Amino acid sequence: MSAKAPAAGKQAQAPAQGKPAQKASAQQGAPKKTKADNPLREIRIEKLVCNICVGESGDKLTKASKVLEDLTGQKPVLSKARFTIRSFGIKRNEKIAARVTVRGDKAKEILDRGLKVKEYELKKRNFSSTGNFGFGIQEHIDLGIKYDPYTGIFGMDFYVVLGRAGRRVSIRKRGRSKFGNFQKVSKEESMQWFKQTFEGLILN
């Protein structure tokens, strides 16, 4: 009985020796993860800025603000002129434009409406070197806003700021640190994001 016991023990240990080999083969067969698979590398819309510049203060600027408020549901902020331009009749510090900053799902929904007017076609010069892009439309009623004879028709500028998680560390007041270049959005990456997200077309 004592002579057979070691043989049984060897047979019991045999399957245990094969387990590391099975794990190694499973690891070799699994796809290798890259930095692009990191969820923090996902590009997202940080904000969308809608701007209407009328070039003068008064009733026309009030109507433009009403258009932006109907589009976004937010109260617009008025912008002032930085310089005096006599040929255009613009004085320094005169309120001449209205703008709204939109974030989150609402920003993507309004952006989709704006790109639909452009038929999802943009040019390379619409994209900046910092990974942002912008475009304009000529008539705000193309966005689905009902035409009002009293308000009239206004053109509008869209500017989209894209980014990745972590940019806040470079702009916060306390504990500010460097934001790596690898995490920044390039022009080529923003163009690729536009193609994949909206199935858009980029013209030369």
Side-chain angles (χ1 to χ4, degrees), residues 30-31 126 130 149 161:
N126 290 113
T130 54
V161 178

Side-chain angles (χ1 to χ4, degrees), residues 121-204:
E121 293 181 357
L122 294 178
K123 296 183 179 180
K124 286 185 178 179
R125 63 169 181 248
N126 290 113
F127 295 82
S128 69
S129 59
T130 54
N132 308 321
F133 67 93
F135 60 93
I137 61 172
Q138 295 182 345
E139 298 182 355
H140 73 275
I141 57 176
D142 292 334
L143 298 171
I145 302 175
K146 188 176 180 181
Y147 173 70
D148 185 0
Y150 173 75
T151 303
I153 295 177
F154 289 92
M156 189 181 304
D157 296 323
F158 288 76
Y159 197 76
V160 186
V161 178
L162 300 177
R164 291 189 176 99
R167 195 178 72 88
R168 179 179 169 274
V169 299
S170 62
I171 58 177
R172 62 188 180 189
K173 292 184 178 180
R174 293 189 61 187
R176 186 176 299 177
S177 60
K178 187 178 179 181
F179 186 60
N181 291 330
F182 180 73
Q183 195 70 354
K184 294 178 181 178
V185 181
S186 65
K187 181 177 181 179
E188 290 72 21
E189 288 174 333
S190 65
M191 292 168 66
Q192 188 65 27
W193 177 88
F194 167 70
K195 291 179 181 179
Q196 292 178 352
T197 306
F198 296 100
E199 298 181 357
L201 180 65
I202 297 178
L203 308 174
N204 292 327

